[in-house]
Amino acid sequence: MSASRVPATRPTTAPEDERAALAHTWRERSGSLGLLFSVDHKTIGKRYILTAVVFFLLGGLEALAMRIQLARPEGRLLNPDLYDQIFTMHGTTMMFFFAVPVMLGVGLYFVPLMVGTRNVPFPRLNAVGYWFYLAGGLLLYGCFFANRGPDAGWFAYVPLSGNQYSSGHGMDAWVQIINFTEVSALIVAGSLIVTIFKQRAPGMSLNRIPLFVWAILITMIMIVFAMPAVIFAAGSLNSDRSLGTHFFNPAEGGDVLLWQHAFWFFGHPEVYIVFLPALGIVSSILSAFSRRPIFGYTAMVLALVATAFLGFGLWVHHMFATGLPQLGQSFFTAASLMIALPTGVQIFCWIATIWGSRPRWEPPLLFVLGFFFTFLIGGLTGVMLASVPMDLQAHDTFFVVAHLHYVLIGGAVFPLIGGLFFWFPKVTGRFLGRTLGFWSFGLLFVGFNLTFFPMHELGFHGMPRRVYTYAPDRGWNGLNLAASVGAGVMGIAILLILINAIRSARHGKPAPGNPWGAETLEWATSSPPPVYNFARIPVVRSLSPLWDGPDGIGVVTGLPTDKRELLVTHPLDAVPSHREEVPGPSVNPFILSVIMSAGLIGSVFSLWWILIGAVLSVPAAFAWYWTQEAP
Amino acid sequence: MRRALVLLSPCALFAGCRYATLDRATPEGSRITDLHWFMFWLFGAVFFAVMGSLAAALMRRGGVFSPEGERRRSAAVIWGAAVSCVLLLVTLGASVWAGREVATPTGPDTLEIRVIGHQWWWEVRYPAAVAAQEFTTANEIHVPVGRAVRFLLGSDDVIHSFWAPNLNGKKDLLPGRSTTESFRVERAGTYPGRCAEFCGYQHAHMGFVVIAEPPERFDAWLAGQRRDAEEPSNETQRHGLAVFLSGPCVTCHTIRGAGAFGHRGPDLTHLASRSTIAADTLPNTTGHLAGWIVDSQRLKPGNRMPPNLIPSGDLLDLVAYLRGLR
Amino acid sequence: MTAPRTLDLDASDLPRGVLDSRSLVWWGTIVMTVTEGMVFAISVGGYFYLRTLSSAWPPTHTGPPDLTAATVNLGILLLSAIPAVWLDRAGKRQDARMVRLTLAANLVFGTAFCVVRVFEFKALHCMWNSSAYGSITWTILGLHTSNLLTSLLETLIVFVYVLVKPIEERHFLDARLDGVFWYFIVVTWIPLYVVLFLVPRIR
Ligand code: HEA
Ligand code: HEA
Ligand code: CUA
Ligand SMILES: [Cu+2]
């Protein structure tokens, strides 16, 4: 069958003058000021990814600090105050500023390419999303470096996070930070949901959507339904702190568990918001390297949907120790076990895909195999935690810390790095160093397991999480030392990947349009893709168009080259519906974001800033609307 | 049998491993340990099965598409799903069953103890039919062997969590809500316990001990605790008491019968009967007491007791008095 | 590469910029309203959660809210649906005069509603900081108000624009979307009215 797999790259072929015209029409503002005008989904996506990587490094450095502190009993590096800030920063950074945004970025960059369109439907709004994310990050680290960082943990349980026990601006800032990230996530969700429903290449009916795109679509829908819970939670915590409301104050009819319900109703879906896109990445890599479509497409899609659906029904498994009624708890145990099934089915389908395909041993594949190994362990410990009696022992111990890193790093970071090696050629036009790739995988895999496997044991030895130190006679010393050494090894691995990326971006081996002989549309254009993505919008007739032989892909002719026009298609069968013009570069998103961010950030110090921000954003909104016309 | 499993378990790889939480001294705890090992072996098997088939998939050569192969593949996936279903149901069953077992039957003879969490120490109250017989202590909980004990948990400030790993699972102490935890200790002994929910700076040093003793010893202890504080027996101690009463101590500490009624800190009436101070942080010795009183912030940074500038002479007498509070 | 290009197709005669539910902005608006709706749903969930925990809802010293203002506002809002419908229709017909008129009407109704809203807050007999009941009630009412204000701002912008500038096709779409978002505000107010003003009267 490989015979029929002549890489079909016709969508990039078009007369020179036509391509020049497109390049002119879709160009970004040049010059350093032009950066504030960008509205191209690839630019914004790259910004999300790069910023998220920076935050990952910061979070990682915080992790190293924690590991040094815990390497020996009675550690002296950090005092309790600083340790509390650091693990809170670590969790907040990794969850809200690395894991979710990096997935948003990957989605923003690749979804339009994979569905064969030229930009997201609301490019300017999309730009606002990124600016908000950036502002949130600056606020978070501004506070931290002023030694006023939040220190109540990444889920900030009340009343500890209330102003009676966490006075000072750290927690106020944390609340606003959550608002920033949720706004940016919702904006991206809006952009991508509409992109996926309305801008798919002609012929890409529902049953021909790449699994990665399905994963992103479902994730974005989860965002729409999960974020409101944290909007509510953060809002009420904020007003409890600064307006004297009583949502969480038992004395006045409030309740401390209301926070936990609201937070985890968002918080559990959150972890799948991180996880599902990673599954999409795994599918993309596996089909490319085993050179066949993922086995059981329908089952895979249904599994994703089921996971998302069930994901909203098990938030209470984070609250077993609060002594809710037995029966209710058993329900959430059952739900948590049930979710193992769709995940399992996907794993089985991937194995069936690999079966006998003799996949090519390249770094991306290795990281996917690493994903199988580590995520499986994390998933199984998750199932252990889902059992109430078991959880009442393991809850808030390092066993949970082990679980969450096995699933987050195994389930999200390994696929992400695999994706990095997989898509780097597409984004930069150059390969990442292969040998260095093998080395960084080996080190990361060993370092990871050395760091986090002992933590299971530590949990059973009764070591609680979030302790800044421990007594020497507890029998925890050896395991902690092992974990700390492992963290160092991970650090080296990350450093290698960093160096590899920086070097290869300049001097890497040049990559053709479709270096891996993969099947989805992002490979049908040049590497890196032109600003207009495709000289001509592709038309597809199967799930893997690039494997359909020479004429596997048709093209759409007759779209104007002098206007930023998108081809809009029918949400179900993707037959062309009409053409729509989208706005081009503009500084308004930046201005509006600055004003609103100033309002939110200011509100940390005085609520009047909210009002000021609101008032100022009125003229900004006018300006925005006035300059709506595409240039 | 369980011993064997213990030895086989992966932690045998790690040196110096004391089965802190898996060696359980209560029926509740033992059920949890059983569940633990059940899951450990079941999921271990699942892990190796899945990894094995992955390895096979990678080794296997010549996977040319054929309708036959397709059919075999889907059969395999469906089988996998089916088996998983069964195993998950088994797990659910085991979990629910263990959950039932852990819920201690509490009868009329159940001993009730009220535990109130504070940043960062435990207030322990032993209710009694007669108000005069009620008393309060701190950080050290005595229970009779072989009798069901029910803890009524509450919090004075933030959320804490009551956890004695060898005895039973944890239960949160929630402000504005009351929760309970119960178990029956079968082996006399001293069992460590600690706060499991992050509660601020000294979450790391919010421990307690559960001392399970034969009923008669327990009753003796009760009787002892119910008595008012020991009278100072000599000049030094008398002066020590004076220092205590004239100092800021009284604003926070109670010493029954000595005219100190503070409530922001632990009850010191029978301080000397306790083996540790500051929530299982320091051994209860003259030296540590003195050090604690002068500058507790150095020993337990951030705790709610301020340093005290006391002339060394007074300090020694004060400590001598406190050491006398049997 | 000379095989018959069965797949190619020509887009030159496809319609440009449609004014109905096929358009991208329309879908964007839907996603936004779903999000907003979810925020309300969660808040109402919180409302009933607190209610089931409380001994007296509302607290005895507060007492149930007065109905007059809220009911008047319900009336205003229901009436305001009429110009919203006309706006929608006019937008579809691309009838500039009618669009300007109905946008104005929408602004008038909205403003009237806001004025009465002040009295609704008064009618609660409690402040946001007097009890959990007050907190959640003020929050939900506040959320609805803020939606209202943003929608009014949107309307105002479009209105001013179509007054001073030549009106193009896509402005008709924006006008219609104003109408759509207004429907959302009307529709959400009905259950919120019941929750905030009738439920507290259930003993
Ligand atoms: C990527 C993120 C991610 C993922 C995918 C998961 C997946 C799962 N998690 Fe995890 N979880 C977290 C991130 C994640 N978790 C985080 C961050 C926390 C801590 C939050 C905090 O407190 O800070 C947490 C905490 C957490 C708890 C609370 C622990 C506590 O605080 O006491 C629980 C309890 O039930 C739980 C359960 C589960 C379950 C059942 C799954 C399941 O989805 C796993 C399903 C997968 C498998 C089971 C493997 C594949 C399946 C098969 C091969 C089929 C055969 C399997 C069987 C027959 C068992 N998780
Ligand atoms: C995706 C999420 C994610 C990721 C990737 C990680 C990564 C790591 N985490 Fe994280 N962790 C969480 C999410 C994550 N964590 C969460 C949610 C919590 C709970 C927080 C809470 O309790 O509130 C937690 C808590 C947590 C704890 C428990 C703290 C406590 O309870 O007391 C520990 C302790 O060991 C830890 C360690 C680590 C380590 C060693 C890594 C390593 O993998 C890190 C590897 C990376 C590096 C080592 C950095 C590499 C950088 C360099 C080499 C320098 C280059 C720098 C420049 C060029 C500027 N984490
Ligand atoms: Cu109390 Cu932790
Ligand atoms: Cu969860």
Side-chain angles (χ1 to χ4, degrees):
Chain A
M1 53 188 302
S2 51
S4 74
R5 212 168 291 132
V6 180
T9 52
R10 279 183 42 242
T12 55
T13 61
E16 182 52 43
D17 57 340
E18 191 173 330
R19 274 184 282 143
L22 280 168
H24 179 78
T25 309
W26 289 86
R27 75 186 181 288
E28 294 273 39
R29 265 309 168 90
S30 54
S32 50
L33 261 185
L35 295 176
L36 307 181
F37 287 67
S38 312
V39 291
D40 177 34
H41 73 95
K42 296 185 289 304
T43 317
I44 308 283
K46 266 188 281 186
R47 286 182 187 175
Y48 265 102
I49 296 170
L50 288 177
T51 319
V53 167
V54 172
F55 281 118
F56 170 75
L57 294 176
L58 290 169
L61 290 174
E62 287 147 11
L64 289 177
M66 288 192 290
R67 280 325 313 174
I68 295 172
Q69 166 75 4
L70 294 179
R72 304 220 115 297
E74 315 282 351
R76 285 260 166 281
L77 177 66
L78 307 171
N79 61 18
D81 174 19
L82 200 52
Y83 188 85
D84 296 352
Q85 286 187 41
I86 285 187
F87 77 69
T88 305
M89 290 294 292
H90 172 74
T92 308
T93 305
M94 288 299 196
M95 295 305 276
F96 295 110
F97 288 90
F98 164 64
V100 175
V102 77
M103 295 303 178
L104 298 178
V106 176
L108 271 179
Y109 191 100
F110 287 105
V111 163
L113 284 166
M114 284 193 185
V115 301
T117 185
R118 283 177 175 156
N119 202 353
V120 290
F122 321 114
R124 295 184 175 182
L125 190 63
N126 201 36
V128 172
Y130 174 76
W131 295 125
F132 263 70
Y133 164 50
L134 187 62
L138 294 178
L139 174 56
L140 179 64
Y141 276 84
C143 292
F144 181 53
F145 291 135
N147 194 20
R148 287 276 200 73
D151 58 1
W154 83 279
F155 41 80
Y157 277 0
V158 293
L160 185 62
S161 58
N163 56 359
Q164 192 184 346
Y165 301 99
S166 307
S167 50
H169 295 314
M171 282 313 299
D172 298 319
W174 186 85
V175 169
Q176 296 306 345
I177 285 155
I178 300 309
N179 290 331
F180 279 111
T181 52
E182 92 215 351
V183 169
S184 75
L186 282 167
I187 288 177
V188 175
S191 301
L192 289 183
I193 290 175
V194 178
T195 308
I196 295 170
F197 273 129
K198 299 290 294 177
Q199 292 171 224
R200 301 201 306 275
M204 192 182 284
S205 47
L206 282 185
N207 57 337
R208 295 177 188 161
I209 300 179
L211 283 170
F212 176 82
V213 176
W214 267 116
I216 293 288
L217 174 63
I218 292 160
T219 308
M220 295 304 142
I221 293 176
M222 284 185 88
I223 287 181
V224 167
F225 284 97
M227 287 293 167
V230 78
I231 293 179
F232 173 76
S236 22
L237 179 55
N238 192 14
S239 61
D240 262 21
R241 290 181 58 86
S242 47
L243 290 175
T245 53
H246 299 294
F247 288 99
F248 310 121
N249 173 7
E252 291 293 348
D255 178 42
V256 290
L257 289 190
L258 173 59
W259 168 266
Q260 298 190 16
H261 282 294
F263 185 90
W264 288 119
F265 185 83
F266 146 84
H268 187 85
E270 166 95 342
V271 302
Y272 292 98
I273 288 169
V274 171
F275 179 52
L276 294 191
L279 296 184
I281 299 177
V282 170
S283 291
S284 295
I285 296 178
L286 273 185
S287 60
F289 282 84
S290 54
R291 299 186 221 73
R292 46 168 83 150
I294 295 297
F295 181 82
Y297 176 83
T298 321
M300 293 292 285
V301 174
L302 291 180
L304 286 171
V305 176
T307 313
F309 190 77
L310 291 170
F312 282 92
L314 29 75
W315 76 94
V316 168
H317 70 207
H318 296 270
M319 301 166 57
F320 284 152
T322 56
L324 296 169
Q326 270 273 316
L327 183 66
Q329 294 194 338
S330 312
F331 168 82
F332 286 95
T333 300
S336 307
L337 294 183
M338 221 189 299
I339 208 163
L341 211 56
T343 319
V345 167
Q346 293 182 72
I347 292 186
F348 301 149
C349 285
W350 284 321
I351 294 179
T353 311
I354 301 174
W355 192 264
S357 69
R358 303 250 105 202
R360 239 180 301 132
W361 288 81
E362 294 284 338
L365 182 73
L366 277 187
F367 281 98
V368 167
L369 297 181
F371 152 84
F372 277 108
F373 183 93
T374 46
F375 173 74
L376 190 53
I377 294 180
L380 293 169
T381 53
V383 174
M384 294 175 84
L385 287 169
S387 147
V388 177
M390 191 58 210
D391 180 65
L392 292 183
Q393 276 300 338
H395 177 60
D396 271 327
T397 67
F398 263 78
F399 186 84
V400 173
V401 177
H403 161 72
L404 73 92
H405 288 92
Y406 264 85
V407 279
L408 279 168
I409 299 182
V413 176
F414 271 83
L416 269 171
I417 301 178
L420 176 71
F421 278 84
F422 183 58
W423 278 315
F424 195 85
K426 174 51 65 184
V427 177
T428 64
R430 295 179 178 283
F431 285 97
L432 276 174
R434 191 159 175 276
T435 332
L436 211 49
F438 288 129
W439 275 102
S440 40
F441 170 77
L443 283 172
L444 194 67
F445 186 77
V446 172
F448 170 81
N449 288 288
L450 182 57
T451 310
F452 294 104
F453 196 80
M455 292 188 188
H456 295 109
E457 278 306 306
L458 281 171
F460 293 140
H461 290 305
M463 178 167 178
R465 58 193 287 195
R466 301 174 164 184
V467 291
Y468 73 98
T469 188
Y470 52 94
D473 62 0
R474 295 282 200 275
W476 300 338
N477 310 4
L479 295 169
N480 270 302
L481 188 59
S484 299
V485 172
V489 179
M490 288 186 81
I492 298 171
I494 304 287
L495 217 47
L496 282 187
I497 296 171
L498 220 56
I499 295 166
N500 195 346
I502 294 168
R503 242 192 53 237
S504 309
R506 285 212 191 61
H507 319 296
K509 179 157 135 280
N514 188 0
W516 313 112
E519 81 284 29
T520 41
L521 283 178
E522 82 269 30
W523 304 107
T525 182
S526 60
S527 309
V531 60
Y532 49 86
N533 288 0
F534 302 92
R536 288 181 177 166
I537 300 301
V539 182
V540 305
R541 65 161 183 230
S542 87
L543 177 56
S544 33
L546 271 59
W547 290 347
D548 290 352
D551 59 350
I553 300 183
V555 295
V556 176
T557 51
L559 279 176
T561 55
D562 57 345
K563 291 201 192 59
R564 290 177 169 250
E565 268 193 11
L566 300 177
L567 180 68
V568 183
T569 54
H570 190 282
L572 299 182
D573 49 17
V575 294
S577 145
H578 62 282
R579 294 147 39 185
E580 213 163 302
E581 199 168 352
V582 288
S586 156
V587 75
N588 287 315
F590 180 70
I591 295 174
L592 191 66
S593 312
V594 168
I595 293 173
M596 291 175 128
S597 310
L600 280 177
I601 295 179
S603 74
V604 171
F605 305 97
S606 148
L607 280 188
W608 289 108
W609 279 94
I610 292 271
L611 211 62
I612 300 175
V615 173
L616 286 181
S617 47
V618 171
F622 266 93
W624 177 302
Y625 194 74
W626 244 249
T627 60
Q628 199 54 253
E629 298 82 2
Chain B
M1 173 54 185
R2 197 172 303 135
R3 279 276 147 278
L5 300 186
V6 170
L7 290 179
L8 282 169
S9 90
C11 73
L13 304 172
F14 300 107
C17 108
R18 311 188 346 263
Y19 261 77
T21 69
L22 290 179
D23 159 21
R24 302 273 165 54
T26 60
E28 299 78 14
S30 315
R31 290 298 79 68
I32 300 176
T33 310
D34 299 343
L35 182 65
H36 170 102
W37 288 118
F38 169 73
M39 290 186 161
F40 175 80
W41 290 108
L42 178 63
F43 295 159
V46 172
F47 175 76
F48 284 109
V50 176
M51 279 298 124
S53 39
L54 176 61
L58 288 164
M59 300 306 168
R60 194 57 183 262
R61 47 177 68 254
V64 189
F65 269 103
S66 71
E68 178 48 28
E70 284 300 282
R71 231 176 288 108
R72 259 197 265 99
R73 277 209 199 82
S74 17
V77 170
I78 292 167
W79 268 107
V83 174
S84 310
C85 264
V86 175
L87 294 183
L88 287 166
L89 281 175
V90 174
T91 313
L92 181 61
S95 162
V96 172
W97 172 78
R100 288 247 178 62
E101 294 289 309
V102 169
T104 319
T106 48
D109 74 325
T110 304
L111 172 67
E112 288 205 334
I113 301 175
R114 181 171 299 280
V115 175
I116 297 146
H118 298 266
Q119 285 178 318
W120 291 273
W121 58 282
W122 307 84
E123 176 182 350
V124 184
R125 294 212 195 121
Y126 284 75
V130 197
Q133 295 203 326
E134 295 190 356
F135 67 88
T136 305
T137 173
N139 304 332
E140 194 170 296
I141 304 171
H142 288 243
V143 299
V145 169
R147 184 170 156 203
V149 187
R150 173 144 89 256
F151 295 91
L152 311 172
L153 308 172
S155 170
D156 187 42
D157 35 47
V158 303
I159 301 178
H160 306 272
S161 194
F162 180 86
W163 187 35
N166 313 72
L167 303 180
N168 202 348
K170 41 183 85 62
K171 192 60 69 71
D172 289 353
L173 291 71
L174 303 156
R177 281 172 171 259
S178 65
T179 51
T180 67
E181 171 81 333
S182 41
F183 49 67
R184 181 165 11 81
V185 187
E186 285 176 333
R187 249 190 289 130
T190 303
Y191 303 98
R194 59 164 2 275
C195 174
E197 180 65 61
F198 177 65
C199 54
Y201 290 158
Q202 282 304 337
H203 166 61
H205 292 122
M206 184 167 168
F208 61 91
V209 289
V210 175
I211 297 176
E213 43 199 9
E216 55 284 359
R217 298 245 340 258
F218 174 72
D219 293 334
W221 178 82
L222 271 187
Q225 294 287 319
R226 282 176 178 151
R227 275 193 278 98
D228 277 357
E230 207 76 24
E231 288 296 327
S233 53
N234 57 34
E235 205 33 61
T236 357
Q237 294 192 348
R238 236 173 260 110
H239 180 244
L241 172 56
V243 175
F244 187 92
L245 294 176
S246 58
C249 324
V250 283
T251 57
C252 301
H253 292 286
T254 296
I255 298 181
R256 260 180 294 128
F261 307 105
H263 280 301
R264 290 156 69 189
D267 182 307
L268 304 179
T269 309
H270 297 287
L271 173 66
S273 74
R274 309 205 276 259
S275 52
T276 65
I277 62 168
D280 198 20
T281 306
L282 306 163
N284 187 359
T285 64
T286 308
H288 285 105
L289 262 183
W292 173 266
I293 293 167
V294 174
D295 188 1
S296 63
Q297 295 302 323
R298 214 184 73 262
L299 300 168
K300 189 171 175 179
N303 86 80
R304 299 259 184 250
M305 169 160 157
N308 298 285
L309 301 160
I310 304 178
S312 57
D314 293 0
L315 180 64
L316 292 181
D317 296 357
L318 174 59
V319 173
Y321 170 67
L322 292 173
R323 297 287 295 157
L325 297 173
R326 297 257 139 37
Chain C
M1 302 292 260
T2 50
R5 300 188 181 176
T6 49
L7 290 177
D8 296 6
L9 51 83
D10 176 39
S12 41
D13 49 8
L14 284 175
R16 290 193 66 236
V18 295
L19 296 188
D20 55 25
S21 58
R22 284 172 302 165
S23 72
L24 296 173
V25 198
W26 193 289
W27 281 65
T29 315
I30 296 306
V31 175
M32 189 182 74
T33 44
V34 170
T35 317
E36 300 275 1
M38 193 63 193
V39 176
F40 280 118
I42 296 276
S43 316
V44 170
Y47 180 95
F48 283 103
Y49 178 85
L50 288 170
R51 184 170 186 270
T52 48
L53 288 180
S54 73
S55 50
W57 192 265
T60 36
H61 58 80
T62 301
D66 303 339
L67 283 182
T68 13
T71 319
V72 171
N73 244 356
L74 186 60
I76 297 182
L77 211 47
L78 290 177
L79 278 180
S80 74
I82 298 166
V85 175
W86 288 343
L87 172 58
D88 192 359
R89 296 242 182 88
K92 205 182 211 151
R93 284 202 315 278
Q94 307 207 15
D95 170 346
R97 223 184 105 272
M98 194 57 184
V99 165
R100 294 203 183 86
L101 268 176
T102 41
L103 278 173
N106 186 302
L107 280 173
V108 174
F109 272 104
T111 327
F113 189 87
C114 287
V115 175
V116 184
R117 179 48 59 87
V118 177
F119 295 95
E120 282 185 81
F121 277 109
K122 282 218 174 75
L124 295 175
H125 303 311
C126 67
M127 296 309 263
W128 61 85
N129 60 355
S130 47
S131 71
Y133 166 79
S135 310
I136 187 70
T137 312
W138 273 76
T139 305
I140 297 178
L141 210 51
L143 269 175
H144 190 260
T145 315
S146 60
N147 268 329
L148 191 76
L149 292 175
T150 40
S151 164
L152 277 183
L153 176 62
E154 198 185 332
T155 315
L156 183 67
I157 294 177
V158 179
F159 181 62
V160 176
Y161 192 98
V162 297
L163 275 189
V164 304
K165 281 223 172 181
I167 188 166
E168 299 169 21
E169 269 199 353
R170 57 186 189 82
H171 301 116
F172 286 112
L173 178 57
D174 298 334
R176 289 196 68 189
L177 289 170
D178 273 357
V180 172
F181 195 64
W182 193 260
Y183 294 157
F184 171 71
I185 288 179
V186 178
V187 172
T188 43
W189 179 236
I190 297 167
L192 291 185
Y193 171 81
V194 175
V195 170
L196 295 182
F197 290 90
L198 299 187
V199 168
R201 307 182 153 269
I202 306 170
R203 277 280 150 267

